[in-house]
Amino acid sequence: ALGVACSAAPAARRGQAHRTGRSAWAARAARVLAHAKVGIFYATGTNTTKDLAYKIKEGLGDAADEPDKVMYLLAEDMAKYDALILGCPSYLWGGGSVSGLDFDTMVPPAGNPVDLQGVRVAVFGTGDQVKYSEYFADAMGMVADRMLSRGCIPIGQTSVEGYEFEYSRAQREDQFVGLVIDNENQPELTDVRVAAWVEQLKKEIGLPA
């Protein structure tokens, strides 16, 4: 009987350890779901994109880090976030590069071209439907494509309804790749659009409403 009891004890401890490990994993998963780590990074020429970044941060609350310039984001740090929100200025590109946006230097770590697999990425940006109608919010589309090539999960798409422009690299059929803000021609819609987008992101990231 003693032998049976002794042999049963390790098995019981293994079972308990298994249950403890499974409970710890479940608890961690619940914490991640409830408090996903969100990074907000932006490039700006006139601080408009910066202002939008802080509006988004305000809406997300403690789930998001303080917004920062994208030039301070290291490639190896990007995969540490559950979700990234990237802000782009209006029209600052040329020759197939996103010049002036600081996104040009964002390349995957050596030997890992799809370093953002499983990371949700949303983009937002500014544009001018009248002055830049032929390349409205193009930078957003270029940044989104670059992140997609690195294996990210794109989120935050919005409808093109309510905008009037000739062409945009940020358009995919009847949607933009993210949130487009036109403070020059539709300033009265900015806060409404940001608030709606933040609520959309909460659902797509898995944050409490």
Side-chain angles (χ1 to χ4, degrees):
L2 180 60
V4 173
C6 289
S7 63
R13 285 196 294 269
R14 286 196 299 271
Q16 182 179 5
H18 178 70
R19 288 192 297 273
T20 302
R22 185 167 54 188
S23 298
W25 181 88
R28 179 185 178 278
R31 287 196 301 272
V32 169
L33 183 62
H35 302 287
K37 190 175 182 183
V38 180
I40 304 176
F41 296 90
Y42 62 88
T44 187
T46 62
N47 285 330
T48 302
T49 312
K50 176 182 178 180
D51 293 341
L52 291 173
Y54 275 90
K55 285 179 182 290
I56 294 168
K57 157 62 181 172
E58 182 179 358
L60 293 175
D62 293 337
D65 286 344
E66 284 293 312
D68 208 347
K69 291 184 177 179
V70 73
M71 67 173 67
Y72 301 131
L73 177 62
L74 300 177
E76 55 266 30
D77 290 337
M78 296 179 72
K80 296 178 182 179
Y81 289 97
D82 296 310
L84 289 167
I85 301 174
L86 305 176
C88 315
S90 181
Y91 174 68
L92 289 171
W93 67 276
S97 65
V98 199
S99 60
L101 292 182
D102 299 317
F103 286 100
D104 286 339
T105 58
M106 293 176 61
V107 295
N112 188 15
V114 287
D115 59 315
L116 297 183
Q117 283 189 331
V119 178
R120 294 172 175 81
V121 176
V123 295
F124 69 94
T126 57
D128 186 327
Q129 300 167 76
V130 176
K131 189 174 182 180
Y132 300 134
S133 182
E134 295 178 1
Y135 31 80
F136 181 53
D138 271 3
M140 280 179 54
M142 299 177 75
V143 170
D145 286 343
R146 185 166 298 186
M147 296 301 106
L148 190 60
S149 71
R150 293 172 65 169
C152 81
I153 301 171
I155 61 173
Q157 295 85 355
T158 62
S159 174
V160 300
E161 186 177 348
Y163 301 84
E164 294 184 13
F165 58 94
E166 293 184 38
Y167 177 79
S168 174
R169 287 194 180 191
Q171 183 177 1
R172 304 290 185 272
E173 296 182 353
D174 61 347
Q175 290 189 316
F176 287 121
V177 295
L179 173 66
V180 182
I181 294 296
D182 185 350
N183 273 336
E184 299 299 321
N185 303 289
Q186 298 175 324
E188 72 283 359
L189 298 178
T190 294
D191 287 345
V192 174
R193 284 171 170 167
V194 170
W197 197 58
V198 166
E199 292 306 310
Q200 176 183 339
L201 292 183
K202 287 180 180 179
K203 294 178 182 178
E204 295 186 59
I205 296 172
L207 298 173

